[in-house]
Amino acid sequence: MILISGANRGIGLEMARQYSNRGDEVIGVCRVASDGLRALGQRVIEGIDVTSEADLQTLSRSLRGVTIDRLINNAGILSREGLDDLDVDRVLRQFEVNAMGPLRLTAALRGMLGKGSKVFIITSRMGSIDDNTSGGYYGYRMSKAAVNIAGKSFSVDLKSRGVGVFMLHPGYVATDMTNNHGVPAQQAVAGLIERMDTLELEQTGSFWHQEGYELPW
Ligand SMILES: NC(=O)c1ccc[n+]([C@@H]2O[C@H](COP(=O)([O-])OP(=O)(O)OC[C@H]3O[C@@H](n4cnc5c(N)ncnc54)[C@H](OP(=O)(O)O)[C@@H]3O)[C@@H](O)[C@H]2O)c1
């Protein structure tokens, strides 16, 4: 079973669609379901905000007995503050959703992971320190760098249970987040799923572009 956060739109919805189309069982987790998500005919759990501990406990209770083969931390937000228009509340909000969200969700559901399960974090190369040559985006970059190191710790902590953990960058993808600029979500998600299918436990704790090459931290 494949659990996806932020499954109601964007990259999350397209992942739910492509997994569904090939016959995988998906649980789409979101705040409010969309028609597109419902149309897949898969299980949908709505009312889950990844910043709410109470919601995540509710989610965990409703999944009792389920084994999660792929836990996909996808929900995320982006705002574009620079040094001259720094809005600390927006920086903190991105940290809450993009960094704390995957930490909370993965911690809440860790009991449902078994040998061979994989955890994915849909992060961004904007969280790469080596790759940052254009600056700005304080909240987004900081939150994605933070989630990358959380993912690295998950990989160490879960390896003895046979659970692999991988950080994935989807590329620049046409969704609401980018005002529909970038490559089509269908193309980016095909690459993401290929990585999800092929990454193995020996590679746990690594950071990949969906196109198939490793990214620097
Ligand atoms: N698009 C790109 O070019 C790009 C590049 C690099 C990385 N990414 C990453 O890819 C992931 C998906 O992005 P996207 O492009 O698909 O963005 P999107 O179209 O804006 O979708 C964002 C998703 O995250 C959910 N979400 C946001 N805040 C949430 C919260 N507090 N609790 C639960 N769900 C929440 C949204 O749900 P609601 O509908 O309820 O708001 C929505 O389902 C994000 O982590 C993003 O950082 C995207």
Side-chain angles (χ1 to χ4, degrees), residues 33-128:
S34 58
D35 291 345
L37 179 57
R38 289 211 183 284
L40 302 179
Q42 296 274 4
R43 183 169 174 194
V44 174
I45 302 180
E46 57 180 337
I48 307 297
D49 186 315
V50 296
T51 68
S52 161
E53 200 58 44
D55 288 358
L56 295 176
Q57 291 315 316
T58 303
L59 175 66
S60 165
R61 278 195 300 276
S62 69
L63 290 172
R64 212 163 267 157
V66 166
T67 298
I68 301 174
D69 302 305
R70 297 186 185 185
L71 167 54
I72 306 177
N73 289 280
N74 165 74
I77 56 170
L78 162 75
S79 61
R80 296 176 169 77
E81 58 287 322
L83 204 47
D84 296 328
D85 62 347
L86 206 52
D87 177 332
V88 171
D89 288 340
R90 278 181 8 202
V91 171
L92 289 172
R93 182 68 191 157
Q94 287 169 91
F95 201 82
E96 271 287 320
V97 177
N98 297 348
M100 294 301 295
L103 177 59
R104 286 183 153 134
L105 181 65
T106 305
L109 302 186
R110 69 190 186 286
M112 289 150 212
L113 302 167
K115 190 171 164 41
S117 296
K118 298 177 185 177
V119 175
F120 299 98
I121 297 175
I122 308 302
T123 177
S124 171
R125 76 189 303 169
M126 286 184 74
S128 166

Side-chain angles (χ1 to χ4, degrees), residues 130-143:
D130 285 344
D131 195 66
N132 183 1
T133 53
S134 52
Y137 294 90
Y138 287 88
Y140 193 71
R141 287 192 191 279
M142 290 170 70
S143 64

